[in-house]
Amino acid sequence: MKLKEYILKDPQDDHRFIPQEAEAAAEYIGLDSKTTLRLRLLSEELICMLPQLLSYGAGKFWIEVGENRAELHLSVSVDNSRYYDVNKILSVSTSGKNAAAKGILGKIAVAVESLLGNNENIADYDSYGVWSRGLASTDREAFWSLEAYKDAFSDEDTQQSYSEDWDELEKSIIANLADEVTVGVLGGKIDITVFKNF
């Protein structure tokens, strides 16, 4: 069941509403206080993504609940009139690399950038391999999946070769609490969904 949809409009209001909505959803499905806190933490992780996501256009947030599960949704309608040159922005960095691509939330941001079709920029700043290691697909669409990204670290050689990425994955709140996170772009909309089973 889809709970109240919220139009993202003001950072202060958004930061207050999203965790409150997570707590309301937890109460609605009867979660205990520890599990409610986990759902709230996941909602706060989504808040961290808002500044970058809303740079693409207007967004909305909602939670869908079912028996022993919750899905946190962020959807942003891309405003194609907004233009920015990723290469020009990154040239300001001493290394020329995207420092924001560190951490799991940074990798999700790179996945959004990739799925929006900025693939010509990906090789320059995706030295962390998020695009190839988190890419999943169905017959109709490509999307980034946290589970596919985690699966890429299933062997010890990969964990050692990408020790910094592996360390980030082990320490990430969203990677440890969510059962899955997907990022997809279809029809001019960015959709990020966090899945949590209880």
Side-chain angles (χ1 to χ4, degrees), residues 149-197:
Y149 183 76
K150 284 180 180 178
D151 288 347
F153 289 96
S154 59
D155 65 88
E156 217 170 291
D157 289 340
T158 305
Q159 292 170 12
Q160 289 175 355
S161 297
Y162 296 94
S163 60
E164 187 178 336
D165 293 343
W166 174 244
D167 191 45
E168 289 172 348
L169 187 58
E170 286 191 308
K171 292 176 181 174
S172 166
I173 291 172
I174 200 164
N176 284 300
L177 293 182
D179 291 300
E180 172 68 297
V181 177
T182 59
V183 178
V185 176
L186 189 62
K189 275 185 10 190
I190 303 166
D191 289 307
I192 297 180
T193 306
V194 177
F195 298 86
K196 181 64 182 166
N197 297 317

Side-chain angles (χ1 to χ4, degrees), residues 46-116:
L46 283 177
I47 290 170
C48 295
M49 291 186 245
L50 287 181
Q52 181 156 3
L53 287 173
L54 294 178
S55 71
Y56 297 112
K60 57 187 175 180
F61 168 83
W62 71 94
I63 297 177
E64 292 182 21
V65 295
E67 190 174 329
N68 299 318
R69 69 168 180 82
E71 298 174 8
L72 289 76
H73 293 263
L74 267 178
S75 182
V76 175
S77 297
V78 178
D79 179 354
N80 290 323
S81 68
R82 297 183 190 188
Y83 173 79
Y84 60 96
D85 185 338
V86 173
N87 290 328
K88 192 178 271 188
I89 293 167
L90 293 177
S91 70
V92 174
S93 168
T94 306
S95 68
K97 295 195 186 293
N98 189 354
K102 292 203 176 231
I104 298 303
L105 296 181
K107 288 172 177 44
I108 291 171
V110 170
V112 168
E113 191 69 34
S114 303
L115 290 165
L116 282 172

